[in-house]
Amino acid sequence: WTEGKDGIVDYHIVGVYQGRTNVSADSNWAAYADVTDRVVIDLKWKLSESKLVGTPTFQNSKSEVKNPRNWEPKCQPPVLKGEYEHYELQGIKQGLGGALEVLTQTSYPVVEVVQFCSGARKSIPASRKTHTEELVVPSPVMLTMALPDSENLRVSPDKKSLIQKKAGWTWTFTPSVKK
């Protein structure tokens, strides 16, 4: 991994989200749904410095929302009046301690929720929320190590990628070098 041109490792990173998520902008009102989302990131990483090199590229996919439901199964499900976007990557920059700092945005549509299972609906306004998150880039040297099989970090069956699970996300980091 250190024999690549200028010690640079190319990373192809695929993040896939699957989870039960509140799709209401107001956390006081539960409007749950099964949400899937995906993002692809390509970047160059100077391994010896754990540092981002150049400008990364990324591609967002549209979120899929299925099975909207209330927290109480006997209550009527929420009604989404637009599209929910779980994770729209806005930018990537070098973070602290060898991590990446990623800027994301979540877009919430107007959502009608049932109040107290009474049948009366309350409209929750649409909103956009921006978040800054840390994404740790695992060293490709770990591919050569005997890691314990863990949901947190493991080597893929083909021994070419590192897979990390965190908060509903499965991140697959596939490093390569150009000599």
Side-chain angles (χ1 to χ4, degrees):
W1 293 109
T2 57
E3 295 175 8
K5 185 177 181 191
D6 300 323
I8 304 294
V9 176
D10 292 320
Y11 270 94
H12 180 72
I13 305 167
V14 177
V16 176
Y17 177 81
Q18 287 186 305
R20 180 176 159 192
T21 306
N22 188 356
V23 295
S24 165
D26 185 342
S27 60
N28 293 318
W29 293 94
Y32 292 108
D34 297 327
V35 174
T36 57
D37 205 348
R38 186 174 194 268
V39 64
V40 176
I41 303 168
D42 288 293
L43 57 85
K44 296 187 179 303
W45 190 253
K46 182 142 181 115
L47 184 58
S48 63
E49 299 174 19
S50 293
K51 186 176 179 184
L52 184 63
V53 177
T55 304
T57 61
F58 53 87
Q59 180 180 12
N60 291 299
S61 295
K62 192 180 235 7
S63 295
E64 291 183 30
V65 177
K66 295 180 180 175
N67 307 319
R69 59 194 169 279
N70 193 298
W71 63 273
E72 179 61 51
K74 66 182 179 182
C75 297
Q76 292 181 2
V79 176
L80 281 68
K81 300 288 188 169
E83 293 185 6
Y84 170 79
E85 187 57 49
H86 185 70
Y87 189 93
E88 187 175 349
L89 187 56
Q90 303 283 305
I92 303 170
K93 64 181 184 178
Q94 183 66 47
L96 299 174
L100 297 173
E101 184 177 299
V102 294
L103 180 65
T104 66
Q105 180 175 272
T106 302
S107 299
Y108 299 89
V110 171
V111 178
E112 290 182 355
V113 295
V114 176
Q115 300 182 68
F116 312 112
C117 282
S118 66
R121 291 198 174 269
K122 174 177 176 58
S123 186
I124 308 299
S127 177
R128 291 179 194 260
K129 294 182 182 176
T130 303
H131 314 274
T132 301
E133 298 176 5
E134 184 179 84
L135 183 63
V136 176
V137 178
S139 172
V141 175
M142 289 189 210
L143 289 170
T144 63
M145 301 168 67
L147 296 176
D149 191 25
S150 163
E151 285 296 309
N152 296 330
L153 182 65
R154 65 183 168 170
V155 176
S156 66
D158 66 3
K159 309 265 189 246
K160 293 181 180 179
S161 302
L162 292 159
I163 301 169
Q164 186 179 64
K165 290 194 176 191
K166 180 172 105 176
W169 283 92
T170 300
W171 293 97
T172 303
F173 296 83
T174 306
S176 62
V177 292
K178 292 184 174 111
K179 295 184 179 185

